[in-house]
Amino acid sequence: MQAAKPLFDYPKYWAECFGPAPFLPMSREEMDQLGWDSCDIIIVTGDAYVDHPSFGMAIIGRLLESQGFRVGIIAQPNWQSKDDFMKLGEPNLFFGVAAGNMDSMINRYTADKKIRSDDAYTPGGMAGKRPDRASLVYSQRCKEAYKHVPIVLGGIEASLRRIAHYDYWQDRVRNSILIDASADILLYGNAERAIVEVAQRLSYGHKIEDITDVRGTAFIRRDTPQGWYEVDSTRIDRPGKVDKIINPYVNTQDTQACAIEQEKGPVEDPQEAKVVQILASPRMTRDKTVIRLPSMEKVRNDPVLYAHANRVLHLETNPGNARALVQKHGEIDVWFNPPPIPMTTEEMDYVFGMPYARVPHPAYGKEKIPAYDMIRFSVNIMRGCFGGCTFCSITEHEGRIIQNRSEESIIREIEEIRDKVPGFTGVISDLGGPTANMYRIACKSPEIESACRKPSCVFPGICPNLNTDHSSLIQLYRSARALPGVKKILIASGLRYDLAVESPEYVKELVTHHVGGYLKIAPEHTEEGPLNQMMKPGIGSYDKFKRMFEKYTKEAGKEQYLIPYFIAAHPGTTDEDMMNLALWLKGNGFRADQVQAFYPSPMATATAMYHSGKNPLRKVTYKSDGVTIVKSEDQRRLHKAFLRYHDPKGWPMLREALIRMGRGDLIGPGKDQLIPAHQPATDSYQSARRKNSTPAGSHKVAKESKEKTTKILTQHNGLPPRASDGGNPWDKREQAKAAAFARNQQAAKERKDAAKGKGPKPTRKPVVPR
């Protein structure tokens, strides 16, 4: 793999003399206190500013500060005018624009395209503090504020929309976000290397349009530069048969004659003299080769070409062998340089060791920021994921090569949390990252790793070249929990259980010391069809891990449970698949109160399946087999109802579906049957979502009293409570629900009678069982 200039080897900008700021300034008053007359760089973000390494604006801001630049933050500006974008003045070098830690559309809308009631990255969890397609809006406002200041676009929204992409909310293919935002350059993936290089060059006086050789960037070009060899993507992965040109003298109304001519192919005259042409044969090297993808106009109008482009894009994601890509949009080209070189352990330590305050900016006062509350006692130990799950965007954004921090750096951060973060009680809520157990796991051979083009190292099985040794992670756990003042180290990141079972010692260590009663894992499904489209292991891997989990739990003398997560309506899923999953859930005693329907995020492979009906995991042709797609609202509801088979509200739909599928034998009271034949007279079931939502009609009261409504819980529940609670937990829960329902009904009747003057003022309040 190519060498890269270390992040800490750049000369410092002159403003280094000001030193690090307690917080990056968000106002002119703070700039005055720091002695700044202007900012060199201003970061505009859709998230509240939290000075913590789990927030993108903090990492990029502190990194640029370490290079000597003065960095200001404009967090969640009012986008209705340019005024908020001018409050820190004109930046000397550029605006850095990002939508935040999430794509702004995913942040605001559910998988059913309904507006969310909250935003975890906003003070008070308040929704509506960022616009739809925030990167576009912020970039345009920055241009209005200071027309000639360059705009550097980044963050996950820009990263996943850098190419012509299918947009779920508009149900169409949109331009590269670089075009729509009118930005000058786009940084994708982990952007530390790119942002430092761009900032340094601009500080030397280079023009933004001349910065075209930085990895991990996208920009606009008019033509292919001299010395580059251009390859059409259809030569690499031909999407289908190309028709031969027929004889122009054939009557085109005669279809039989046309068919005969097509079968003949080109006919050459052996007596005809041929001109010999000597063509230049440039030396075709990967670092001077660019692959031309089908144009924006072609992928917009042809779903098969869209799937083909998505496949080629994913084949060119290994930093060791990726080539540049180019895609025409109208009259201009959008050029994508190869992905950034992964950071070394020393560079990771450098990035995470900067002087973060580890708390939200003081401007927010005592307002709670839910996303911060979730991670304030957690530590990110690595980046990247080689799982390659098709519905996930981690690999597309962070890459599939794991970038690790040193154990010393991680221990220092835990000590810093212990000593500096308010409210620390001795419990570290997570040591993880994109996954819990890929720390220091990599290919056994750097040469093989740099040449590999597989999308996953663990599907369809674990690659024999992958080193699955968990010893470094085990040692990290032991060192962390041995620290004075640390009572418990929990693991909350998603566990790759098919990898974990390769190390029984790791599973024992995890189960014995690092599970807080429940451990989340994500089988996602039980059936081979959808699992193959997800690139997830079979349910047998889950069963193997479950046996190990229960064995070590028993040996530790603890009561602990696995929490499995599943996806409804994923490409490749049939109604029969969901029925079988529901039967598995019932047979294993699981009741999932909240379920996740497939969400087509930009650029994901599963999204290409959803849009095109083709499978980009294999060669895409017009005649290749299609993928079952769940698009209609009714079918998506049905798939979710199968996951929540225990909810009476879904029983009518399930009865109809089961009869249609010829599985009426699953309707009845038996333990092997899925749902009862009759609907209950009064529905005593109350889902966790409804239970924790704001009651109808209470918004006005809440507004008048200025009381915040209860947030919807997002954690899976429905697993059997611990046996120590006594009795049959399921019976007790249902009895409590039924009693609460009866009391609520009585209270409603009393209120209705009182309103009609037929009775005293009611004193009962609605209750919800715990």
Side-chain angles (χ1 to χ4, degrees):
M1 190 173 293
Q2 303 174 29
K5 186 174 182 177
L7 291 174
F8 29 74
D9 278 8
Y10 288 88
K12 299 292 189 290
Y13 190 61
W14 70 266
E16 180 198 14
C17 60
F18 288 100
F23 286 89
L24 302 178
M26 292 176 61
S27 66
R28 291 294 309 203
E29 292 74 19
E30 291 175 80
M31 290 171 59
D32 293 340
Q33 291 171 10
L34 294 169
W36 299 2
D37 60 341
S38 61
C39 291
D40 301 309
I41 298 158
I42 294 176
I43 296 175
V44 181
T45 174
D47 294 339
Y49 171 32
V50 180
D51 200 42
H52 187 285
S54 291
F55 289 76
M57 89 292 287
I59 286 185
I60 296 301
R62 289 297 188 181
L63 177 63
L64 290 169
E65 180 187 62
S66 74
Q67 301 292 314
F69 299 106
R70 294 167 294 178
V71 183
I73 301 278
I74 298 177
Q76 298 188 317
N78 177 0
W79 69 90
Q80 305 296 338
S81 74
K82 63 182 180 180
D83 297 344
D84 258 12
F85 296 81
M86 303 176 72
K87 64 183 181 182
L88 299 183
E90 181 177 344
N92 302 321
L93 298 178
F94 64 86
F95 276 112
V97 174
N101 274 16
M102 291 178 66
D103 182 279
S104 59
M105 299 300 287
I106 295 176
N107 178 277
R108 191 169 184 215
Y109 297 93
T110 69
D112 296 325
K113 301 183 181 179
K114 296 178 181 177
I115 295 178
R116 299 186 192 274
S117 59
D118 57 3
D119 181 345
Y121 293 91
T122 300
M126 186 183 301
K129 285 292 186 178
R130 79 184 81 210
D132 291 352
R133 311 186 195 284
S135 298
L136 274 62
V137 178
Y138 292 161
S139 297
Q140 291 160 5
R141 288 289 184 244
C142 288
K143 281 293 185 187
E144 286 181 34
Y146 302 105
K147 184 176 180 180
H148 302 293
V149 174
I151 293 177
V152 178
L153 201 60
I156 194 163
E157 179 167 278
S159 187
L160 299 184
R161 295 175 180 270
R162 62 185 182 265
I163 197 168
H165 57 281
Y166 172 73
D167 186 83
Y168 174 59
W169 302 270
Q170 291 185 335
D171 192 26
R172 68 179 180 89
V173 176
R174 289 181 61 97
N175 291 333
S176 163
I177 197 171
L178 181 67
I179 300 289
D180 288 345
S182 300
D184 295 282
I185 193 170
L186 182 151
L187 313 186
Y188 69 87
N190 292 322
E192 284 91 349
R193 291 196 191 285
I195 195 71
V196 169
E197 181 69 23
V198 168
Q200 290 282 351
R201 291 199 194 179
L202 290 176
S203 72
Y204 299 152
H206 294 192
K207 294 181 179 179
I208 189 77
E209 57 268 23
D210 294 335
I211 303 176
T212 59
D213 61 340
V214 178
R215 293 181 67 116
T217 61
F219 46 88
I220 291 171
R221 262 189 168 146
R222 297 289 172 182
D223 50 27
T224 302
Q226 188 175 2
W228 282 76
Y229 188 87
E230 185 174 301
V231 179
D232 192 297
S233 66
T234 57
R235 286 177 55 189
I236 300 170
D237 200 71
R238 187 176 294 276
K241 179 182 176 183
V242 178
D243 292 334
K244 297 173 182 176
I245 300 174
I246 66 173
N247 185 337
Y249 299 104
V250 170
N251 179 6
T252 56
Q253 301 300 316
D254 186 346
T255 56
Q256 186 176 4
C258 288
I260 292 171
E261 286 295 323
Q262 282 187 310
E263 288 179 6
K264 285 182 182 178
V267 179
E268 296 183 358
D269 182 354
Q271 305 300 321
E272 181 182 3
K274 296 182 177 63
V275 178
V276 176
Q277 290 182 321
I278 300 177
L279 303 176
S281 180
R283 187 164 178 264
M284 187 174 170
T285 58
R286 298 190 82 85
D287 60 342
K288 286 292 183 180
T289 300
V290 60
I291 299 173
R292 180 167 290 280
L293 299 172
S295 69
M296 157 63 188
E297 290 72 22
K298 287 183 178 179
V299 299
R300 181 180 59 200
N301 297 321
D302 189 337
V304 174
L305 282 181
Y306 180 89
H308 159 77
N310 182 273
R311 173 173 166 79
V312 173
L313 174 77
H314 284 83
L315 288 173
E316 301 296 332
T317 55
N318 183 347
N321 61 27
R323 291 165 283 190
L325 304 172
V326 65
Q327 185 177 51
K328 186 171 286 296
H329 285 61
E331 298 301 316
I332 59 175
D333 284 339
V334 180
W335 185 287
F336 311 93
N337 278 338
I341 301 297
M343 289 196 293
T344 64
T345 295
E346 292 75 20
E347 289 173 319
M348 286 284 285
D349 291 352
Y350 175 67
V351 167
F352 282 88
M354 291 183 291
Y356 302 101
R358 304 195 70 85
V359 293
H361 190 279
Y364 303 121
K366 295 183 179 181
E367 285 269 37
K368 298 288 186 181
I369 300 174
Y372 168 69
D373 289 341
M374 185 183 298
I375 56 83
R376 63 177 174 158
F377 302 130
S378 68
V379 179
N380 196 328
I381 64 175
M382 44 75 71
R383 284 185 185 169
C385 178
F386 48 71
C389 301
T390 60
F391 54 82
C392 179
S393 300
I394 292 173
T395 301
E396 282 90 340
H397 185 61
E398 295 194 1
R400 62 187 180 90
I401 295 175
I402 305 303
Q403 302 160 75
N404 309 282
R405 296 173 62 186
S406 69
E407 181 179 311
E408 294 74 22
S409 171
I410 295 166
I411 294 299
R412 277 197 303 272
E413 183 170 349
I414 296 174
E415 292 174 333
E416 194 171 342
I417 291 172
R418 178 195 64 192
D419 299 337
K420 291 175 58 175
V421 178
F424 181 64
T425 60
V427 179
I428 296 294
S429 59
D430 187 28
L431 283 184
T435 62
N437 60 319
M438 289 186 182
Y439 181 70
R440 297 206 173 280
I441 292 180
C443 189
K444 296 174 183 177
S445 165
E447 292 76 20
I448 293 175
E449 182 180 71
S450 64
C452 182
R453 297 171 70 79
K454 288 178 62 178
S456 172
C457 300
V458 289
F459 183 85
I462 295 176
C463 177
N465 294 313
L466 186 68
N467 177 10
T468 59
D469 181 16
H470 283 64
S471 59
S472 296
L473 190 54
I474 294 170
Q475 181 55 47
L476 174 62
Y477 288 176
R478 291 172 179 172
S479 299
R481 68 173 185 262
L483 286 173
V486 175
K487 300 175 184 176
K488 186 81 172 177
I489 302 283
L490 298 175
I491 305 303
S493 295
L495 184 76
R496 190 77 197 200
Y497 54 87
D498 54 338
L499 201 59
V501 295
E502 297 295 309
S503 176
E505 184 186 4
Y506 170 74
V507 178
K508 183 175 182 179
E509 190 79 15
L510 174 74
V511 172
T512 305
H513 300 287
H514 302 286
V515 175
Y518 298 99
L519 179 67
K520 296 181 294 184
I521 60 173
E524 309 298 3
H525 219 284
T526 58
E527 305 307 294
E528 184 178 358
L531 287 173
N532 285 342
Q533 310 308 326
M534 297 176 186
M535 290 210 302
K536 291 285 288 187
I539 198 66
S541 294
Y542 166 82
D543 293 333
K544 184 177 180 181
F545 179 80
K546 183 173 183 288
R547 288 193 294 271
M548 296 175 72
F549 178 89
E550 290 173 346
K551 173 188 174 184
Y552 295 128
T553 293
K554 185 176 180 180
E555 289 179 4
K558 295 185 174 184
E559 283 192 77
Q560 298 177 153
Y561 297 92
L562 286 177
I563 302 180
Y565 283 78
F566 300 92
I567 294 180
H570 190 278
T573 308
T574 64
D575 295 351
E576 287 75 14
D577 290 331
M578 294 307 301
M579 176 190 71
N580 291 332
L581 173 54
L583 290 170
W584 184 92
L585 287 170
K586 185 171 184 180
N588 286 273
F590 289 120
R591 294 188 175 192
D593 265 322
Q594 295 183 48
V595 299
Q596 176 62 52
F598 170 64
Y599 204 149
S601 59
M603 212 173 83
T605 299
T607 303
M609 295 180 194
Y610 178 88
H611 172 58
S612 68
K614 296 291 184 179
N615 184 2
L617 297 176
R618 305 187 189 93
K619 182 178 178 179
V620 177
T621 70
Y622 291 97
K623 294 183 179 179
S624 59
D625 293 338
V627 177
T628 303
I629 304 299
V630 183
K631 281 195 174 183
S632 74
E633 189 175 339
D634 288 344
Q635 194 178 15
R636 285 173 70 88
R637 278 204 304 265
L638 174 63
H639 283 205
K640 290 172 74 173
F642 269 120
L643 274 184
R644 303 188 68 244
Y645 65 91
H646 53 283
D647 184 354
K649 293 180 178 62
W651 291 351
M653 185 190 311
L654 292 178
R655 288 189 197 100
E656 183 181 330
L658 290 172
I659 292 170
R660 184 178 67 249
M661 295 160 64
R663 293 306 308 270
D665 58 300
L666 295 178
I667 303 172
K671 67 175 184 177
D672 294 328
Q673 293 175 304
L674 190 60
I675 57 171
H678 303 289
Q679 201 72 8
T682 46
D683 181 8
S684 62
Y685 181 82
Q686 190 177 31
S687 73
R689 180 173 296 276
R690 183 174 297 278
K691 180 173 70 176
N692 293 286
S693 298
T694 306
S698 67
H699 293 285
K700 185 176 180 181
V701 176
K703 185 177 180 181
E704 290 173 354
S705 61
K706 296 184 179 180
E707 293 179 359
K708 294 175 186 173
T709 57
T710 306
K711 299 289 187 301
I712 295 172
L713 296 183
T714 57
Q715 193 172 17
H716 178 296
N717 41 60
L719 281 178
R722 304 181 189 196
S724 57
D725 293 341
N728 185 325
W730 291 115
D731 289 347
K732 290 194 171 186
R733 285 180 60 180
E734 295 305 318
Q735 290 168 10
K737 289 173 183 174
F741 180 82
R743 184 173 173 182
N744 287 343
Q745 290 290 92
Q746 180 62 28
K749 184 177 182 301
E750 290 177 3
R751 287 195 297 271
K752 188 175 180 181
D753 290 344
K756 294 180 179 179
K758 295 181 179 180
K761 185 177 180 181
T763 58
R764 294 177 182 271
K765 292 182 179 180
V767 295
V768 174
R770 290 180 62 84

